[in-house]
Amino acid sequence: MRSMKTWLLGSAAALATVGAAQAADLAAKKAVPVEFVRVCSAYGAGFFYIPGTDTCLRLSGRARFEGGYQTSYARTNGNGDTAGYRGLARINLDARTQTGYGTLRAFLRVEVASRTGGPYAGGTSGTQQRIGNAFAALGPDQFGRAQTYVNADKAFVQFAGLTAGRASSFFDFYAHDFEFTGATGGSDVASTNLFAYTATLGNGFSATLSVEDPTARRSAIYSPVAPSATVANGAISSFGVTNIQAPIITTVNGVVGSTSVDVIQRNRMPDFVGVLRYDAAWGSAQVSAASHELNVGNLALTTPLNAVAPARPSNEYGYAVQGGIKVNLPMIAAGDALYLQGAYGSGAQMYTGYCAYSGCYNQTAATIQGQKFSQFFNDATVNPFTGRLEKSESFTVAAAYLHYWAPEWRSAVFGSYGEMSYSANARNAQGLAYAQLGSPAGYGGNAVGAPGTRFFQLSQALRDTYQFTAGANIIWSPVKDLDIGVEGFYTQLGVKSGRVIDIDKDPTAYARVGAINAGGSVRTTSADSVQQIRLRVQRDF
């Protein structure tokens, strides 16, 4: 027993010695370093260092719900939608690194949204679908009423005064800052591809020269021919079109005929934008100018070799200028501000934003169900006798005021007025071509009519028009970064002089040209209007 006890005690001592040695070995090994995320205070709240780098990153985003109602005047041709809904997700990434040349910044913003309801009611968007940002559902109850919206809204690099990538156009100033819907007239291209340099001049002044993608600024060259579309449904028109024809008058052995030119514009020269800006404690002011190339294709290959025809239309350059001022009004209430802005364009309608409410990227857009007539948003027409591009003119003026009733309650009032005009020669030339071609049946609502006739006086095509918008909203922010608000606005559009055919009350009028010219009855109008109300719930983080 004594021997057994001695053996057990010896074994325990040996094990203890081995365990202690192993523990000493473990303690001698270096622990894997743990790198904690560090706060970066150099660029404001929310930034942290990316582990292992000297780059600071801020992650932020937005979740939004919207519901809208818009008046409807017709339930024919698949219309009748009065409600629209949208759920939107936004993710922002802002990465910044301090260098010997200043701050190197990369900013990314991606937006994805599900939108339902007719385009008239502010649900789906023909404008966004035309430029590939929205993708339509195909079900019989969904096509034209359900969309997924996917947009690389921002993706730019800033370094030593350079900005390169996808960003807001430097031409823009007010850009609907205080509005939900963006219904007022004014330039607002939030996403375009550009390469720009900004020079800081001192004392609050800066100057920018920006080379920008012209695609986001294209308004169609006028075509009297309604193009056939790969996909078409009611107000959603002209998708998938690869060729749009405008007539050119020819003479073959003394006989008047016609050929055509494709007026879809090609990407050739970029737009050049110049900006002078001033920022101070009282607010900011900006003057912008832009050039914009207009071009078309060659004459049709089917033009007879012995035909006497104008040369291919040569390129023209449109231009736009804009001035704006923002005044901070803390003497009224903290956060109060007033915007005033005006823009003029020749052959550059998108720069004045005249199409902001009705919809861009098509020569006409019907935004009101049962719309009485269509406005035309063409940057130019091709003179069918000379082949020259004849530019349109447009202007808009806008004002918006934001007022804080209390820290958690604010509201804005806003309004705009604009006009778009075509030269008398442009409309007359299209009318003469219409007459010489024998009143082509394929022209439909795009027909100008023969000068001197009653139909010419009443046609909606290439008419000088105006647009007026006024609205207001109120927003409650019960906690930081949460907005619950409602907005309503009224828009009126009309012809500057005379009357036009009312295509809502007289939808077959354009098929009765001869009867109208002979004095037959036709319903007419001079203006149209619409009201919309919109609810928004939004959380930013």
Side-chain angles (χ1 to χ4, degrees):
M1 290 296 292
R2 183 183 300 272
S3 299
M4 178 65 70
K5 184 176 181 181
T6 301
W7 182 84
L8 290 174
L9 289 173
S11 299
L15 290 172
T17 302
V18 171
Q22 290 178 338
D25 288 343
L26 290 174
K29 292 181 179 179
K30 290 185 178 180
V32 176
V34 177
E35 187 165 0
F36 295 96
V37 174
R38 294 180 296 140
V39 172
C40 175
S41 59
Y43 306 108
F47 282 89
F48 60 88
Y49 284 99
I50 299 174
T53 75
D54 58 355
T55 297
C56 297
L57 177 69
R58 185 178 189 273
L59 170 66
S60 60
R62 168 178 293 173
R64 174 190 290 174
F65 164 80
E66 284 187 338
Y69 169 82
Q70 180 166 294
T71 51
S72 172
Y73 304 112
R75 296 197 176 195
T76 59
N77 300 323
N79 301 332
D81 299 282
T82 58
Y85 311 92
R86 177 171 69 157
L88 177 141
R90 171 188 287 182
I91 297 296
N92 304 313
L93 291 173
D94 190 349
R96 305 189 194 188
T97 306
Q98 200 60 34
T99 74
Y101 297 92
T103 302
L104 168 61
R105 183 190 188 201
F107 184 83
L108 309 178
R109 173 179 292 167
V110 177
E111 290 187 337
V112 181
S114 175
R115 307 192 289 204
T116 62
Y120 300 105
T124 60
S125 169
T127 294
Q128 294 301 316
Q129 193 161 317
R130 289 183 190 100
I131 60 174
N133 283 350
F135 309 94
L138 298 178
D141 295 317
Q142 289 75 34
F143 182 69
R145 295 180 177 85
Q147 277 182 343
T148 294
Y149 169 78
V150 181
N151 184 27
D153 185 66
K154 302 287 186 295
F156 61 82
V157 175
Q158 288 181 316
F159 176 67
L162 295 176
T163 301
R166 190 160 176 82
S168 299
S169 171
F170 278 90
F171 184 88
D172 295 351
F173 183 64
Y174 166 53
H176 303 115
D177 284 359
F178 298 158
E179 304 173 42
F180 292 2
T181 309
T184 56
S187 180
D188 187 359
V189 176
S191 303
T192 190
N193 305 312
L194 56 81
F195 182 84
Y197 177 75
T198 300
T200 301
L201 306 178
N203 297 320
F205 285 96
S206 63
T208 300
L209 177 62
S210 180
V211 180
E212 301 189 0
D213 190 337
T215 307
R217 296 287 191 178
R218 297 275 189 221
S219 289
I221 305 297
Y222 171 74
S223 170
V225 182
S228 60
T230 302
V231 179
N233 178 275
I236 300 178
S237 60
S238 299
F239 297 117
V241 175
T242 59
N243 190 282
I244 300 177
Q245 299 298 317
I248 297 290
I249 299 300
T250 63
T251 303
V252 180
N253 298 325
V255 178
V256 174
S258 70
T259 184
S260 61
V261 61
D262 181 9
V263 294
I264 291 180
Q265 299 182 73
R266 280 67 174 169
N267 270 22
R268 293 170 180 160
M269 291 296 294
D271 288 4
F272 294 94
V273 174
V275 176
L276 179 63
R277 185 180 174 95
Y278 177 72
D279 293 284
W282 60 264
S284 56
Q286 179 172 305
V287 177
S288 309
S291 67
H292 179 67
E293 186 202 30
L294 306 173
N295 63 68
V296 297
N298 291 316
L299 297 178
L301 294 176
T302 55
T303 304
L305 294 178
N306 60 339
V308 178
R312 181 187 70 81
S314 58
N315 297 0
E316 293 284 345
Y317 277 87
Y319 67 90
V321 292
Q322 177 177 267
I325 185 170
K326 179 187 179 184
V327 181
N328 299 322
L329 300 170
M331 70 289 294
I332 300 177
D336 278 29
L338 171 69
Y339 271 106
L340 298 172
Q341 176 179 282
Y344 168 83
S346 174
Q349 180 270 147
M350 280 284 291
Y351 278 99
T352 65
Y354 185 68
C355 62
Y357 169 70
S358 296
C360 306
Y361 308 112
N362 209 7
Q363 78 169 356
T364 61
T367 313
I368 306 172
Q369 295 188 88
Q371 191 159 321
K372 297 178 180 180
F373 70 99
S374 294
Q375 293 174 292
F376 280 67
F377 300 119
N378 305 100
D379 276 343
T381 66
V382 179
N383 189 302
F385 299 97
T386 67
R388 291 179 58 88
L389 281 170
E390 298 177 332
K391 295 178 291 186
S392 64
E393 296 182 341
S394 62
F395 77 84
T396 58
V397 291
Y401 174 59
L402 176 67
H403 175 61
Y404 279 80
W405 303 97
E408 69 275 13
W409 286 96
R410 69 185 187 274
S411 60
V413 292
F414 48 85
S416 70
Y417 178 82
E419 294 183 0
M420 187 157 188
S421 305
Y422 301 90
S423 69
N425 182 64
R427 194 165 191 272
N428 285 331
Q430 294 295 332
L432 289 172
Y434 176 88
Q436 292 200 22
L437 294 175
S439 305
Y443 282 17
N446 297 335
V448 174
T453 65
R454 187 175 179 223
F455 182 81
F456 179 84
Q457 295 173 345
L458 298 176
S459 170
Q460 64 184 357
L462 300 180
R463 294 293 291 272
D464 297 347
T465 59
Y466 70 86
Q467 191 170 117
F468 166 76
T469 297
N473 57 46
I474 186 166
I475 301 169
W476 177 46
S477 298
V479 297
K480 187 177 184 297
D481 297 326
L482 172 64
D483 288 346
I484 302 172
V486 63
E487 176 178 279
F489 65 88
Y490 168 86
T491 295
Q492 182 183 87
L493 54 94
V495 288
K496 289 169 60 177
S497 62
R499 299 183 68 81
V500 291
I501 294 170
D502 187 330
I503 56 177
D504 176 41
K505 295 181 179 178
D506 200 343
T508 66
Y510 281 89
R512 310 195 318 270
V513 176
I516 292 172
N517 286 336
S521 64
V522 61
R523 304 292 292 273
T524 65
T525 187
S526 61
D528 204 353
S529 63
V530 69
Q531 303 84 44
Q532 186 178 124
I533 189 168
R534 204 166 190 82
L535 169 70
R536 173 181 289 179
V537 179
Q538 175 176 296
R539 167 70 197 276
D540 291 295
F541 61 89

